[in-house]
Amino acid sequence: MALTEVQVRKAKSRDRAYKLADEKGLYLLVDANGRRYWRFKYRYLKKEKLLALGVYPEIGLGEARKKRDVARLILDAGNDPSQERKHEKRAKLIRAENTFEAVAREWHAERRIGRWGGKPWVKGHADRVLVSLEQNIFREIGHRPIAELSAAEILHAVRVVEKRGALETARRVMQRIGSIFRYAIVTKRATYNPVPDLREGIATPVQKHYASLSEKDLPDFLRRLASYDGQALTRIGLELILLTFVRTVELRGAKMGEFDFDKAEWRIPAERMKMKRLHIVPLSTQAIALLREALSISGDRLFVFPNQSNPAKPMSENTLLYAVYRLGYHQRTTVHGLRATASTILNEMGYRADVIERQLAHGETDSVRDAYNHAEYLPERRQMMQHWADMLDAMTKGRKVISDRFEAKAA
């Protein structure tokens, strides 16, 4: 049962410290001298942790519950309340001067829990953003009051990154500085955002194209893959990439609950997708057979493709790429390049580009259309993916394949 103000007020000391439980992890710790402390017990990354919420009577029951609820919101966003408190203390130390670093850390904290700029950031992305700012920008302009920063100072700081050859990092850093300035303007720490004036001031990174196989190369690759003598789950993973067109990170993080064998569908949650939207993958009969084989190996582990050294984690990000090299295709293709191979062949076979792009889970330029239906083109995609799987089977068995035989019928 929940605590009452009367119970808290009348809590007396005993021979040893004891707890009075409230709700949702909150409790009052009463020590042997009668001092009373609010504590919030929670679990983060499967470890039990405690967060101090204050001392009674300075912090009453109602205020302690509010602090607990804030901590639970932080947990729901995938973050550790104890670490958030450390970040907040660091921010308070420098907030009085309204330095660029102070405002940037405040902006980052708001983005992490979704109070600024849309949905909360996933932990991994949030950590990478903060590390990028710490390593690339704070040492150059972090100490400067944000309202006094000039376009020239910002350009100099970003060009330091650019001179290392990290053009993509420089571009992203510039975007984040612009977002930080917009936050500073809204929170009345700055009146002008100089970043839009700097768009032409840094080099544009050249888009890299992944090495990929031609239709002529594909049969040999498939035959080598079928006789792969490494780990079975590695072979199955590569075959599923070819049969589903998912990205490596999406395959590595696959969990049993995402698959519906009755509907022949794989539903990848939005938080695991690059475009942050649910992606439905129709499964061919060949893909379902491979998944059943994978599950017979991985058993009841969390991930369908677990890490060999630590089964509680997903397969290493380089495992599939090393397997491609082991097959003799070093510099001839990458795992991502297999998606490009499928896209090229299917386009040449006459499938509609929109259907292929949806299967690849690429971004939709029309945001209204994109939001309309995440399952768009699903019937056509089912037909296409089964035809594609049948064609790969034929190639693997050494049969001569005429692409036109597998061309989709008009919808």
Side-chain angles (χ1 to χ4, degrees):
M1 293 179 63
L3 285 174
T4 65
E5 288 284 2
V6 173
Q7 288 175 306
V8 174
R9 187 172 63 252
K10 292 185 175 181
K12 304 295 183 181
S13 61
R14 299 177 184 173
D15 293 337
R16 61 179 64 185
Y18 66 98
K19 303 173 185 177
L20 291 175
D22 186 47
E23 294 178 316
K24 302 174 183 178
L26 177 66
Y27 67 85
L28 184 71
L29 175 66
V30 184
D31 71 13
N33 295 318
R35 292 185 292 262
R36 288 159 285 184
Y37 306 92
W38 294 110
R39 296 289 185 266
F40 171 54
K41 182 170 70 173
Y42 64 97
R43 298 189 71 83
Y44 183 74
L45 298 180
K46 298 183 180 181
K47 293 182 180 179
E48 185 173 292
K49 305 189 78 173
L50 286 177
L51 183 68
L53 300 182
V55 181
Y56 184 85
E58 286 80 10
I59 301 295
L61 176 60
E63 184 64 19
R65 286 171 175 167
K66 290 179 181 178
K67 287 175 174 279
R68 173 205 61 198
D69 291 342
V70 170
R72 283 168 58 85
L73 283 174
I74 292 171
L75 272 175
D76 288 343
N79 301 313
D80 184 350
S82 296
Q83 289 299 317
E84 287 292 323
R85 174 169 291 181
K86 291 179 182 178
H87 292 318
E88 185 177 350
K89 286 182 178 178
R90 166 64 180 159
K92 284 181 178 179
L93 291 175
I94 56 179
R95 189 171 293 159
E97 300 176 16
N98 285 333
T99 62
F100 177 83
E101 180 175 352
V103 177
R105 288 185 180 276
E106 186 178 317
W107 164 85
H108 181 267
E110 296 292 291
R111 290 301 309 264
R112 285 186 71 149
I113 61 175
R115 286 194 301 205
W116 175 265
K119 294 181 180 179
W121 279 344
V122 296
K123 183 179 185 301
H125 175 70
D127 291 347
R128 286 191 294 272
V129 170
L130 186 58
V131 169
S132 176
L133 291 171
E134 290 173 340
Q135 293 180 346
N136 298 300
I137 292 300
F138 289 169
R139 64 185 66 182
E140 295 290 333
I141 59 174
H143 64 286
R144 296 277 289 119
I146 192 167
E148 298 176 13
L149 269 173
S150 67
E153 289 177 282
I154 294 170
L155 182 60
H156 171 77
V158 176
R159 280 185 172 170
V160 170
V161 180
E162 185 183 77
K163 287 177 181 177
R164 303 199 313 259
L167 301 186
E168 181 62 24
T169 300
R171 183 187 67 83
R172 291 182 181 179
V173 163
M174 185 70 86
Q175 288 179 338
R176 288 162 186 161
I177 293 173
S179 181
I180 292 164
F181 264 93
R182 289 193 293 275
Y183 176 77
I185 291 170
V186 170
T187 55
K188 299 181 179 179
R189 264 76 68 81
T191 58
Y192 167 66
N193 183 358
V195 171
D197 298 334
L198 301 173
R199 289 175 180 170
E200 299 178 2
I202 61 172
T204 301
V206 178
Q207 184 176 3
K208 294 182 180 179
H209 295 280
Y210 292 94
S212 60
L213 302 176
S214 67
E215 184 175 355
K216 180 181 177 182
D217 298 324
L218 194 52
D220 178 69
F221 178 85
L222 291 169
R223 285 192 291 271
R224 293 191 191 192
L225 179 57
S227 59
Y228 180 72
D229 60 358
Q231 293 291 325
L233 282 176
T234 304
R235 169 187 56 80
I236 294 169
L238 279 176
E239 290 180 334
L240 280 172
I241 293 283
L242 276 164
L243 286 171
T244 61
F245 310 167
V246 298
R247 299 175 178 88
T248 303
V249 66
E250 294 153 9
L251 180 95
R252 290 170 50 237
K255 299 175 182 177
M256 178 58 200
E258 297 172 4
F259 299 99
D260 187 328
F261 291 138
D262 292 332
K263 292 184 177 180
E265 288 179 358
W266 178 5
R267 290 178 168 252
I268 307 178
E271 60 267 23
R272 291 210 301 105
M273 293 299 301
K274 182 177 181 180
M275 304 306 295
K276 300 305 175 190
R277 67 164 181 240
L278 170 69
H279 182 46
I280 302 176
V281 181
L283 299 173
S284 63
T285 55
Q286 292 89 337
I288 289 176
L290 282 170
L291 281 167
R292 292 192 187 281
E293 183 182 354
L295 290 169
S296 71
I297 298 170
S298 56
D300 59 356
R301 294 188 174 115
L302 175 62
F303 296 102
V304 178
F305 296 91
N307 188 293
Q308 280 186 273
S309 302
N310 184 353
K313 294 182 178 181
M315 175 185 285
S316 169
E317 60 183 329
N318 288 321
T319 297
L320 297 180
L321 181 60
Y322 292 156
V324 170
Y325 293 167
R326 187 173 175 180
L327 291 171
Y329 278 82
H330 181 60
Q331 295 184 337
R332 295 175 63 186
T333 189
T334 62
V335 181
H336 193 90
L338 296 176
R339 285 164 44 92
T341 295
S343 176
T344 299
I345 296 174
L346 288 171
N347 272 287
E348 291 174 352
M349 287 167 60
Y351 284 96
R352 291 197 295 150
D354 285 349
V355 177
I356 298 169
E357 291 297 292
R358 180 63 76 191
Q359 184 64 32
L360 290 164
H362 282 164
E364 178 61 71
T365 55
D366 184 337
S367 60
V368 175
R369 181 182 177 191
D370 179 52
Y372 176 68
N373 188 355
H374 55 244
E376 198 172 18
Y377 312 126
L378 192 54
E380 288 180 75
R381 289 196 285 132
R382 287 188 190 283
Q383 181 195 49
M384 178 180 73
M385 297 310 290
Q386 186 59 58
H387 286 170
W388 172 253
D390 292 341
M391 189 172 79
L392 295 187
D393 265 356
M395 287 182 174
T396 304
K397 295 171 183 175
R399 287 165 42 200
K400 185 177 180 180
V401 174
I402 301 174
S403 297
D404 290 345
R405 288 177 55 193
F406 299 94
E407 185 174 340
K409 296 179 181 179

